[in-house]
Amino acid sequence: AGPDAVGAPSGASFGELLGDSLRSLQARQDEAARAAQALATGQAGDPTSVVMAIEKAQLAMQLASTIRTKAVESFNDVFRTTV
């Protein structure tokens, strides 16, 4: 199973995938902010959808933070490795 097995476009570079992921994270954050604003102003019809949008944004941010932490740890491990 190659990169296509996990939904990555064939031939996409790491930078492109990272950029797409960051845009997706930003979109989730924006959606949660709009939903919270709508709830605060009384324009939201379904409070459950607002909570879901906020939870999705929170989980996406936690995932991004975990990936960043693991990437930094890996980067540091590579530089500590003696050849």
Side-chain angles (χ1 to χ4, degrees), residues 3 5 8 14-15 18 20-21 28 31 35 42 50-51 55 64 74 79 82-83:
F14 177 74
L18 183 60
D20 290 345
S21 295
R28 288 215 187 267
E31 178 185 344
V50 174
V51 172
E55 284 297 315
S74 297
F79 277 101
T82 57
V83 180

Side-chain angles (χ1 to χ4, degrees), residues 26-41 43-44 50:
Q26 184 63 47
R28 288 215 187 267
Q29 296 293 321
D30 292 344
E31 178 185 344
R34 281 191 301 274
Q37 182 69 26
L39 183 65
T41 59
Q43 297 172 346
V50 174

Side-chain angles (χ1 to χ4, degrees), residues 22-34 52-54 56-61:
L22 290 175
R23 281 186 286 280
S24 175
L25 175 62
Q26 184 63 47
R28 288 215 187 267
Q29 296 293 321
D30 292 344
E31 178 185 344
R34 281 191 301 274
M52 290 296 291
I54 292 170
K56 286 179 182 179
Q58 181 181 6
L59 289 172
M61 183 59 81

